[in-house]
Amino acid sequence: MTHRHWDIFCTVIDNYGDIGVTWRLARRLAHDCGREVRLWVDDLDSFARIAPELDPALPQQTLAGIQIRRWPQADFPEDIIPGDVVVEAFGCRLPNRFEEAMAARPAKPVWINLEYLSAEDWTRGYHKLPSPHPQLPLTKHFFFPGFDAASGGLICEDGLIAAREAWQADEEAQRDYWRRRNVPALADHEWKASLFCYENPAAARLLQAWADGPQPVRCLVPEGKAQAAVSGLFDHPLQVGEHAQLGRLTVDVLPMSDQDDYDRLLWSCDFNCVRGEDSLARSQWAARPMLWHIYPQEDEAHLAKLQAFLERYCRGLPEEAAAAIRELNLAWNQDGDIATAWRNAARWLPAWRRHAANWQQQLLEGGDLAHRLLQFVAEVSEIG
């Protein structure tokens, strides 16, 4: 098999999105695509939060058939032979020694900068573009994940959609899941929502709207930054494992889980509030209505990115439904009137749910990110 050995580099910033995406990509390439993957990560403690089997004290270990290496920021090993393909996730800067070792290989590795996920039009002009190294005989290519056939796509494992469909049809499996997560039995008429966001003042107001609404709501909150906003509705900070009730709202705070369990949470809910990049992508495969808290940027560039996603995501919906969904997402990200926006969008939940199922099928036209990445590696190799 050509291009069998892959090196993937990841710098963990301040959340779990970067390592979440790279860990999913590493597993996809190793388990479904038959590649040998070495994953370099600078922060194994953060990595271990989403991969509990990982020992952050070990600088070198194998997990799920993937070689995990701590990425030292100084004194990178001199004896490392680069793989056939090198992926730097989200523009992280490769070690000089590693770049020199890449250049020393008779057959130069295919070098890819895996960019952040975006639906913005400008990314199409940069997707797959080459960038020659200023000193070394190496060329890096930009690769943009996205939401259409002209982009790099999204990670979707073999059999994932069938597994999700089977899960959503299996009520006993879902009941076992809630028991395992220490969530009290859910009533048949309870509407389930997950809440995973950054610090967001709109979160407490959305939960208050659910508490005051006509429908009993069970809100599942993974531990993290959303806890503070949720706790503001009650008279004390909510801890992991705690259950609290306000009006028609019940809140359960869940412990941090691995990626597979988080997928099951998304599959098990009627509505998902997600944040960043990895959970946004995974919510698409849940085929449920979702609300995106995009990572905020000081110059508000994130709002253009949000608008570009909503423009693509809402295509095919009735005009009034699309407008309500856009209004809800903007209120969520701009501290707007989230209660009114929720009431307007909630009227369209049945149509939104049907749209979500159709949308995830459209995303897979042309293959997932790993499939498109492998195709591109083959194309670059033929040209080279």
Side-chain angles (χ1 to χ4, degrees):
M1 179 187 298
T2 58
H3 302 101
R4 181 176 181 84
H5 300 273
W6 289 54
D7 278 294
I8 303 177
F9 285 79
C10 175
T11 299
V12 179
I13 307 301
D14 60 349
N15 294 290
Y16 304 107
D18 291 1
I19 183 56
V21 172
T22 50
W23 180 228
R24 288 192 193 275
L25 177 60
R27 292 198 298 164
R28 171 82 166 109
L29 289 167
H31 298 170
D32 297 337
C33 305
R35 268 51 182 184
E36 295 183 12
V37 180
R38 181 169 52 190
L39 177 59
W40 299 86
V41 182
D42 67 338
D43 181 358
L44 296 183
D45 290 307
S46 292
F47 188 3
R49 296 299 305 278
I50 63 169
E53 302 85 358
L54 185 77
D55 184 348
L58 293 179
Q60 182 174 345
Q61 57 197 291
T62 299
L63 181 63
I66 297 161
Q67 186 182 154
I68 309 295
R69 297 289 298 266
R70 176 180 284 116
W71 177 1
Q73 293 305 303
D75 297 323
F76 192 85
E78 295 182 359
D79 59 346
I80 298 298
I81 300 175
D84 306 311
V85 181
V86 176
V87 178
E88 56 180 38
F90 315 116
C92 62
R93 178 73 166 78
L94 296 182
N96 289 333
R97 284 180 179 174
F98 193 83
E99 288 186 0
E100 292 165 359
M102 290 166 62
R105 278 191 46 157
K108 304 298 185 284
V110 177
W111 183 9
I112 293 171
N113 178 4
L114 182 66
E115 288 283 355
Y116 286 100
L117 173 64
S118 179
E120 293 173 285
D121 289 338
W122 69 264
T123 62
R124 295 186 185 89
Y126 288 88
H127 182 51
K128 299 183 180 180
L129 273 187
S131 175
H133 195 284
Q135 284 91 33
L136 300 173
L138 296 169
T139 299
K140 174 166 58 179
H141 291 83
F142 298 100
F143 202 85
F144 282 84
F147 302 94
D148 62 16
S151 73
L154 303 174
I155 299 169
C156 183
E157 298 80 3
D158 288 348
L160 180 72
I161 303 303
R164 187 264 301 164
E165 290 173 343
W167 177 269
Q168 290 176 338
D170 190 339
E171 295 182 0
E172 184 56 37
Q174 294 180 54
R175 283 193 289 269
D176 287 343
Y177 173 77
W178 296 125
R179 283 193 291 267
R180 181 163 54 81
R181 303 306 303 275
N182 194 33
V183 174
L186 283 81
D188 291 338
H189 61 283
E190 261 185 319
W191 193 75
K192 302 179 292 296
S194 71
L195 176 62
F196 186 52
C197 63
Y198 304 111
E199 293 92 346
N200 189 349
R205 293 198 297 278
L206 177 60
L207 267 64
Q208 185 67 61
W210 288 345
D212 296 337
Q215 171 72 42
V217 176
R218 180 71 66 105
C219 183
L220 296 311
V221 184
E223 70 172 301
K225 298 185 177 183
Q227 279 178 260
V230 174
S231 297
L233 291 174
F234 302 93
D235 57 1
H236 66 284
L238 296 183
Q239 305 299 323
V240 170
E242 191 168 353
H243 320 288
Q245 190 158 3
L246 178 68
R248 300 182 75 79
L249 170 71
T250 303
V251 172
D252 295 271
V253 182
L254 307 179
M256 193 79 175
S257 69
D258 64 18
Q259 289 184 320
D260 293 339
D261 243 15
Y262 181 68
D263 283 344
R264 295 185 191 102
L265 174 63
L266 297 174
W267 299 352
S268 302
C269 289
D270 302 293
F271 187 84
N272 292 302
C273 302
V274 296
R275 76 181 198 196
E277 179 171 330
D278 182 56
S279 58
L280 169 68
R282 303 311 286 189
S283 71
Q284 312 309 304
W285 309 134
R288 292 288 188 262
M290 44 71 60
L291 183 60
W292 184 24
H293 193 194
I294 190 169
Y295 189 79
Q297 296 173 275
E298 290 183 3
D299 58 359
E300 295 195 338
H302 61 292
L303 296 179
K305 189 174 179 179
L306 174 64
Q307 291 274 29
F309 167 72
L310 292 172
E311 169 63 27
R312 186 164 299 279
Y313 178 75
C314 291
R315 290 177 186 173
L317 279 163
E319 184 175 342
E320 190 175 349
I325 291 169
R326 285 194 290 266
E327 175 194 9
L328 178 64
N329 275 271
L330 289 171
W332 184 240
N333 284 277
Q334 294 182 290
D335 193 18
D337 185 357
I338 194 70
T340 299
W342 169 254
R343 287 192 293 271
N344 292 338
R347 297 189 297 113
W348 295 99
L349 281 170
W352 193 354
R353 184 160 173 158
R354 291 191 298 271
H355 174 72
N358 293 331
W359 162 253
Q360 58 94 23
Q361 294 175 0
Q362 296 173 32
L363 290 174
L364 286 174
E365 294 175 1
D368 87 313
L369 186 145
H371 176 79
R372 299 183 199 190
L373 198 52
L374 290 171
Q375 283 187 324
F376 179 64
V377 167
E379 291 169 7
V380 171
S381 301
E382 289 178 7
I383 296 171

